[in-house]
Amino acid sequence: MEVRNRYVATRRHIEGAPTEADFEVREETARWSPDSGEVLVRNLYLSIDPYQLNRMKRSSASHLAVDGILPGQRIAAYAAGEVVASASPEYAAGDVVAGVLGWEDYTLFRPSPAVLMSKVDAAAVFPLSHHISVLGTSGMTAYGGLFEVCKPASGEKVFVSAASGSVGSLVGQFAKLAGCYVVGCAGTKAKVDLLKDKLGFDDAFNYKEEPDLKSALKRYFPDGIDIYFENVGGEMLEAALANMNTYGRVALSGVISEYTGSRRRAVPDLLEVIYKRITIRGFFAWDFLPKFAEFNAAIGEWVRQGKVQVIEDVSDGLESVPSAFAALFSGQNVGKKLVKLA
């Protein structure tokens, strides 16, 4: 079987903020045969994630954990789709799957323990898009970072940066379910209102309206911060550390302000870390793969009960991938950014 496959590729290594001009849509023929051992998937939803930018750089620390992306190369990404043809006994045509596929119309993969892929119950109560957002890597990052890294206790005070994003919007809600006091920050009034009015944050503020972030956090946390879920980096991290309580915990999920190189990197006061005995831990979603089913069972029940609201920002068509990706770095998205393919 042969299918015409369009895929998104970078034109060059990207060292600054990405633009649509950094990408192109290419075309190839994808070939599947009954004796190949491969599975051919028609992709339906694509996950658009900021960390991909680090893979697109000529050199990045991210290459220690995930493969870099060369110009012209197809881009592996979390996605959901339908099996069109299978030469593996594990999958059959018509199966719906979610896992590592690609920014393309079709993906071929060979099942193995090293390949992250799972079947999705197409008749389940959740929309397919949820399986690559709240029940995918965003949910895994939020749940693992909060409960496994920070281990919140009821009554503790939690600060979430980039709180209207795919991960932050979930972290705040999870922390509220754990009995915590939660404040988030975002970059527009509409996002701040969303955090307080729909997502249940105790308070929120627009960081762009705060000339002194340390003073702002002191105002929102007069008794200090116990847990900081970090998605931004730079001055935000410095301000949070200055307001942390003794034995505070910081989950380093991302530092999106530092990905493009346009803003200065964080210079944390290490004396704060030492004398307050603060724990700072970086982590990756895949760290929690062994607990993926456990996390999803808990998150799925919260969503079913209406205790967690899912925010998804969906663009249409493969051609929209470059603009959708670039929008992540200009604050234009709310919640999980996805692209739906026809």
Side-chain angles (χ1 to χ4, degrees), residues 182-222:
V182 183
V183 176
C185 70
T188 68
K189 181 181 183 301
K191 292 179 179 180
V192 168
D193 291 343
L194 173 75
L195 297 178
K196 295 190 291 185
D197 299 340
K198 184 171 182 177
L199 302 187
F201 283 58
D202 292 291
D203 214 335
F205 65 93
N206 184 344
Y207 69 90
K208 294 179 181 177
E209 296 178 350
E210 300 290 348
D212 185 337
L213 289 173
K214 289 182 182 179
S215 296
L217 288 179
K218 181 65 176 177
R219 191 167 71 248
Y220 284 97
F221 293 96

Side-chain angles (χ1 to χ4, degrees), residues 11 39 99 142 191 210 230 267 274 279-280 292 299 332:
R11 296 178 184 272
V39 179
K191 292 179 179 180
E210 300 290 348
E230 166 69 304
V267 185
I274 294 169
T279 299
I280 302 176
F292 187 59
I299 297 169
Q332 295 178 40

